[in-house]
Amino acid sequence: MYGSVATWLGKKTEGEGAHTHKWTVYVRGIQNEDLSPYIRRVTFNLHQSFEKPKRVIEKPPFAVTETGWGEFEIQIQIMLTTPSEKTFELFHFLRLFHQEDSPLSKKPVVSEHYDEIIFNDPPEQLHRRFLRSPLPDACFISTPPGVPETSSQFSESRQLSQITTAHSRVRREIASLLDSLEEINHESQELTQTIQKILGEN
Ligand code: SLL
């Protein structure tokens, strides 16, 4: 998951160029699991108006908290822990304000997205980690401050039912393949016997 959460700091912050909002931009696991076995570093490239706009985060929580006044697009680069250190680039639009025209309120503005990274041919160690299920408790870390526990845009139950359906399909395919294998073995035994019989006759 990647996204941002922003809160308005209240009336006292009004005025030209004043920092009116506090926000956090982050990359996190869907259940806040520790992503450090897979992610080596996350680079958040902020707007040029920020001091040292390139923020490199090498351990979880992969998040940057700042104060500011404006909305802008943040470039997020995710470097994996694979030996090739493959890097992905995402863009997230930092939202500070609720719907247009709605009055400023202290209710946090959350903008979050779900994405998947597919590891083609993962190193053995990573692969074993992926297969370990369910993830041990130690893998879960707390959410960055103020970040909601679950996403409003991502339905975990829908995902779960899709996984269950796919799981039973795979089981059915395995069962049918085992059947064919048995048939082939049987045929092969019969052929061996026939060959032996022919050889015996000659
Ligand atoms: C806008 N195009 O004009 C956008 C730019 C930039 C936001 C928004 C800087 C804070 C600081 C800040 O909040 N920049 O001075 O460190 O809306």
Side-chain angles (χ1 to χ4, degrees), residues 17 19 23 47 49-51 66-72 96:
H19 288 195
W23 51 261
H47 190 264
S49 52
F50 283 87
E51 225 176 275
E66 266 295 349
T67 58
W69 47 263
E71 301 185 318
F72 59 95
L96 302 186

Side-chain angles (χ1 to χ4, degrees), residues 1 3 7 37 39 44 86 89 97 131 142-143 153 158:
M1 308 288 302
T7 29
I39 294 181
F44 297 92
K86 204 170 154 71
E89 189 180 58
F97 307 103
L131 295 180
S142 57
T143 355
Q153 289 160 24
R158 198 181 61 216

